[in-house]
Amino acid sequence: MPKLTVDGIEVEVENGATLLQACEEAGAEIPRFCYHERLSIAGNCRMCLVEVEKSPKPVASCAMPAGDGMVVHTKTEQVKRAREGVMEFLLINHPLDCPICDQGGECDLQDQSMAYGVDGSRFHENKRAVEEKYMGPLVKTVMTRCIHCTRCIRFSQEVAGVPELGAIGRGEDMEITTYLEHALTSELSANVVDLCPVGALTFRPFAYTARPWELKKTESIDVMDAVGSNIRVDARGSEVMRILPRLNEEVNEEWISDKTRFVWDGLKTQRLDTPYIRENGRLRAATWDEAFAAIAARLKDVDGKRIAAIAGDLACAESMKALKDLYASLGSPSIDCRQDGAKLDAGNRGSYIFNSTIAGIEDADAILLVGTNPRIEAPIVNARILKRARAGGLKVGVVGPRVDLTYDYDYLGAGPQSLKDLGAFADVLKNAERPMIVVGQGAVTRGDGAAVLAAALSLAKSSGAISGEWNGFNVLHTAASRVGGLDLGLVPGEGGRDVAGILDGASSGEIDFVHLLGADEIDMSRLGSAFVVYQGTHGDAGAHRADVILPGAAYTEKNATWVNTEGRVQLGRRAVFPPGQAREDWAILRALSGVLGKTLPYNDLAGVRAAMEEDAPHFAMTDVAAPVEAMPSLSEGNLDAAPFESAVKDFYMTNPVARASAVMAECAAGRAAAARIQAAE
């Protein structure tokens, strides 16, 4: 490990570390524009120049490896003049439009020109102008501001895996553009705005709406998929204005998907903000007392076996706990959190979580994907696989749909029969030190889902994917609520019905009452004449079918607990209050229980969480992916020959919040149009 001296301070750094990293290890601040810790080194901007003894000129510290015995100076007059010169050149053509630039207040160029620039310019020539580039409905461009740091180009190729950005021209004529100026197609495309150190790339939906210092910032958790990305919700008054990523190396690093980032406009449209009761075939606004009284009247003298409840994909753990306790007290064994029909056993935690953890993907040397398309089901997980693939030494096999995953893979077959004969890839798994098998929801939501899961688990055990130090058996979920619901036991009790059974019972008249907790992804036409209570946030499918509507709080409007696909318990925090008369879901169920004469034994959020910890002790451990002690043995069954299909058909339209978003609708329309053009070609 090389030892060097930085500003009189001796530091020791790892082999391969750069001078910039060594300087920061010594506490020296090094300005930069093109350098980023997660991207390859470009050495474009030269802002990071430092003085190295015995070097004839200043050195770009981001591109120079740290060497043993080097003596580095970061505060000399030569370094000061060099940085001022670089800044002067950068500002030659940069427009003076900070007052109208959306990057204002968060701009690296502003900050560094104040710290390292000069108070005047020697250049009086006309500034260059660059035509704007179309990058789709999410990214707004003002390319005259671009300083050619190429961060966006490197991100699109190295992290997103979709190399659609590049540079044309040379010198002053260089321009950053997309291929033939079409829209970006990556599900992670808007992360280039976070990376852009100037205002060349900004958020189109956020343009000219607010300044950063006007916004209240709240740390929370994303629920658009089951990854549980860490986010920051920026709000002004009662309105969410934007959503940005938070750093979490174990989960999402510093990236989020486009749906996570831009779904916020769906939080304020088509909202349910008052209770409703259906009378004479039409819904009318009602008070909470009227809504509760209508439910109580319908449940009077109803046998518990004729009552059912279904929890949706966006339900928080507190609301599912209250739902389970309420309907258990009414004698109903028919409750389910698996509205897509996933054949997952709540009694075997190791059989339904991502045991390797998301960060553990970087330790795998062979990955088998079964019935999943992680690019649209969990873009952050797909980016992590690409990161591992770029490091080298990784083999990926796919059993399921043949799709573009942004990295090379061996296609092994379309259906579950391929699990019995993987060909040469079987030897790849057995010879790997840390093989990994990832089972998607497209595999477990089928009729033979339990058999597919058992076959995948058997393969994991026989191939060495499960050992004392490594558990490579993983289930990749698509619903934010799913793992939390299974942890709390929201599955049918003895003699109870699952979602398919509930729908069959409602169709045949054997189920009289169904409570939908944000469950919109089921076939509402099969609810027959059952009395339906819909508790949720948007006027989506469930609200259209409901006899009583109870308005709930969205994920940005409540303090709630979420469990991601790897079993990590995380806390979301309220950024704004629910609209109108909407309330937090667990509080609604607690109030309803009192009207029904089955008062739940908790009165506040702390009481609900204490009850959750009694059911599943790991709820007391936040931000920890608790490992399972032992893996289950599942009984194998007959496998169907039908090919696997992805559980997500349209990345932008997977839940009520996304379907209410005009931005997501525009993205979905653009993606569909591009697919039609590609098919025609």
Side-chain angles (χ1 to χ4, degrees):
M1 296 174 67
K3 292 182 180 180
L4 61 161
T5 304
V6 178
D7 293 338
I9 301 173
E10 187 175 278
V11 294
E12 185 175 6
V13 295
E14 296 181 359
N15 293 325
T18 64
L19 276 185
L20 188 149
Q21 292 169 317
C23 291
E24 292 191 334
E25 188 73 21
E29 181 179 325
I30 306 296
R32 82 293 299 267
F33 290 113
C34 68
Y35 176 80
H36 192 276
E37 294 82 356
R38 303 186 194 280
L39 303 177
S40 60
I41 295 172
N44 291 341
C45 71
R46 322 305 286 182
M47 194 64 200
C48 64
L49 292 173
V50 296
E51 183 180 344
V52 180
E53 290 189 4
K54 300 182 181 180
S55 174
K57 59 182 180 180
V59 171
S61 60
C62 72
M64 173 66 71
D68 197 47
M70 278 185 170
V71 180
V72 183
H73 303 283
T74 68
K75 300 176 182 178
T76 63
E77 185 62 26
Q78 183 187 35
V79 172
K80 181 176 181 293
R81 288 198 310 270
R83 291 174 180 172
E84 288 175 351
V86 170
M87 181 61 69
E88 191 174 12
F89 273 108
L90 286 175
L91 295 176
I92 289 174
N93 285 311
H94 198 80
L96 301 177
D97 56 0
C98 296
I100 64 164
C101 177
D102 272 327
Q103 201 82 334
E106 297 175 321
C107 178
D108 292 348
L109 187 62
Q110 278 184 338
D111 297 340
Q112 295 188 37
S113 63
M114 288 291 292
Y116 304 103
V118 293
D119 60 354
S121 173
R122 294 173 290 174
F123 294 89
H124 303 285
E125 291 80 5
N126 291 330
K127 294 178 181 289
R128 74 167 190 160
V130 182
E131 289 185 2
E132 307 309 341
K133 305 296 188 292
Y134 177 72
M135 294 189 183
L138 304 180
V139 179
K140 180 177 182 292
T141 66
V142 184
M143 299 311 292
T144 303
R145 302 170 184 160
C146 179
I147 63 171
H148 302 161
C149 72
T150 68
R151 281 185 179 181
C152 55
I153 296 175
R154 286 174 283 149
F155 171 84
S156 65
Q157 180 168 356
E158 298 167 12
V159 179
V162 185
E164 297 175 317
L165 287 173
I168 58 175
R170 292 173 62 86
E172 189 180 54
D173 296 325
M174 177 179 170
E175 296 182 19
I176 306 296
T177 183
T178 58
Y179 180 68
L180 297 181
E181 295 198 16
H182 66 66
L184 298 174
T185 61
S186 168
E187 293 75 19
L188 300 168
S189 64
N191 287 286
V192 298
V193 178
D194 293 333
L195 292 171
C196 184
V198 295
L201 304 176
T202 56
F203 301 123
R204 187 179 294 276
F206 181 69
Y208 310 124
T209 58
R211 285 298 196 180
W213 54 84
E214 301 175 335
L215 305 177
K216 182 185 73 173
K217 302 166 179 62
T218 306
E219 295 183 348
S220 192
I221 301 299
D222 171 56
V223 299
M224 291 299 108
D225 55 30
V227 173
S229 297
N230 287 221
I231 58 174
R232 193 188 84 193
V233 181
D234 289 0
R236 184 174 61 187
S238 61
E239 185 176 348
V240 174
M241 302 299 293
R242 67 177 180 178
I243 295 175
L244 298 176
R246 276 194 298 131
L247 178 66
N248 189 320
E249 297 288 356
E250 299 298 315
V251 182
N252 58 303
E253 297 183 299
E254 58 186 88
W255 320 120
I256 54 175
S257 72
D258 292 344
K259 182 167 59 175
T260 295
R261 189 185 297 269
F262 291 112
V263 79
W264 49 264
D265 69 317
L267 292 168
K268 58 187 177 182
T269 56
Q270 299 183 24
R271 285 302 300 271
L272 300 173
D273 58 1
T274 189
Y276 286 88
I277 296 176
R278 189 176 297 277
E279 291 182 351
N280 301 319
R282 302 188 62 165
L283 290 169
R284 70 164 179 87
T287 65
W288 281 105
D289 289 340
E290 288 177 321
F292 288 160
I295 296 171
R298 186 63 183 85
L299 282 173
K300 187 177 181 180
D301 299 328
V302 175
D303 186 354
K305 293 183 179 180
R306 302 180 70 86
I307 300 172
I310 302 173
D313 292 346
L314 304 185
C316 63
E318 288 85 356
S319 62
M320 290 188 289
K321 171 61 177 171
L323 184 76
K324 175 190 173 185
D325 289 352
L326 174 58
Y327 284 96
S329 69
L330 294 173
S332 172
S334 301
I335 183 169
D336 204 347
C337 66
R338 306 162 299 179
Q339 68 169 342
D340 56 5
K343 309 301 188 294
L344 298 170
D345 184 357
N348 296 316
R349 193 167 196 260
S351 69
Y352 64 77
I353 66 171
F354 205 96
N355 291 284
S356 304
T357 73
I358 295 171
I361 291 173
E362 297 185 28
D363 297 325
D365 48 3
I367 299 177
L368 175 64
L369 303 176
V370 181
T372 181
N373 178 0
R375 179 173 173 181
I376 61 174
E377 294 174 19
I380 298 299
V381 171
N382 199 64
R384 190 80 76 149
I385 298 175
L386 173 62
K387 179 182 179 181
R388 175 63 187 88
R390 286 179 55 82
L394 176 71
K395 287 284 190 178
V396 180
V398 170
V399 176
R402 191 193 293 266
V403 292
D404 179 9
L405 293 177
T406 71
Y407 42 82
D408 294 333
Y409 60 83
D410 296 330
Y411 187 68
L412 308 175
Q417 300 296 335
S418 300
L419 293 174
K420 301 296 185 182
D421 183 14
L422 294 176
F425 200 81
D427 294 330
V428 171
L429 289 176
K430 289 182 179 180
N431 295 331
E433 292 185 8
R434 293 193 167 186
M436 177 183 291
I437 295 176
V438 180
V439 182
Q441 296 304 292
V444 298
T445 55
R446 301 155 40 109
D448 63 343
V452 173
L453 189 68
L457 180 58
S458 176
L459 176 63
K461 291 178 177 179
S462 64
S463 61
I466 300 175
S467 62
E469 298 179 354
W470 173 253
N471 189 338
F473 180 77
N474 304 298
V475 175
L476 181 61
H477 291 274
T478 57
S481 67
R482 188 62 47 80
V483 175
L486 293 171
D487 285 347
L488 292 170
L490 267 80
V491 293
E494 185 177 352
R497 298 170 180 261
D498 60 8
V499 168
I502 292 170
L503 296 179
D504 290 340
S507 298
S508 63
E510 296 175 4
I511 295 291
D512 296 329
F513 183 98
V514 180
H515 191 131
L516 303 179
L517 179 61
D520 292 274
E521 319 304 324
I522 61 175
D523 186 356
M524 300 296 170
S525 65
R526 297 183 60 200
L527 289 173
S529 59
F531 188 89
V532 177
V533 174
Y534 178 77
Q535 181 177 340
T537 60
H538 286 73
D540 208 77
H544 285 285
R545 172 58 186 83
D547 295 290
V548 173
I549 296 176
L550 306 177
Y555 68 104
T556 56
E557 300 162 359
K558 58 186 175 182
N559 295 308
T561 303
W562 312 93
V563 188
N564 75 347
T565 191
E566 57 183 355
R568 185 184 302 271
V569 178
Q570 301 185 105
L571 300 180
R573 294 173 177 84
R574 180 171 56 205
V576 296
F577 286 93
Q581 298 184 53
R583 297 292 182 267
E584 294 188 22
D585 292 299
W586 76 265
I588 294 172
L589 292 163
R590 168 63 177 77
L592 176 60
S593 70
V595 175
L596 297 177
K598 302 289 185 180
T599 305
L600 296 177
Y602 29 78
N603 298 314
D604 54 22
L605 189 62
V608 183
R609 288 178 173 170
M612 289 160 46
E613 291 172 18
E614 291 181 7
D615 286 356
H618 62 266
F619 274 100
M621 299 182 293
T622 57
D623 299 317
V624 175
V628 296
E629 295 181 358
M631 291 297 291
S633 295
L634 303 179
S635 57
E636 297 191 36
N638 296 324
L639 297 174
D640 195 342
F644 291 128
E645 296 181 3
S646 173
V648 175
K649 304 301 181 186
D650 187 339
F651 170 70
Y652 299 103
M653 295 284 163
T654 55
N655 58 64
V657 183
R659 288 191 287 268
S661 167
V663 177
M664 293 296 100
E666 187 176 358
C667 290
R671 181 66 61 88
R676 288 195 297 270
I677 293 173
Q678 185 176 8
E681 293 175 350

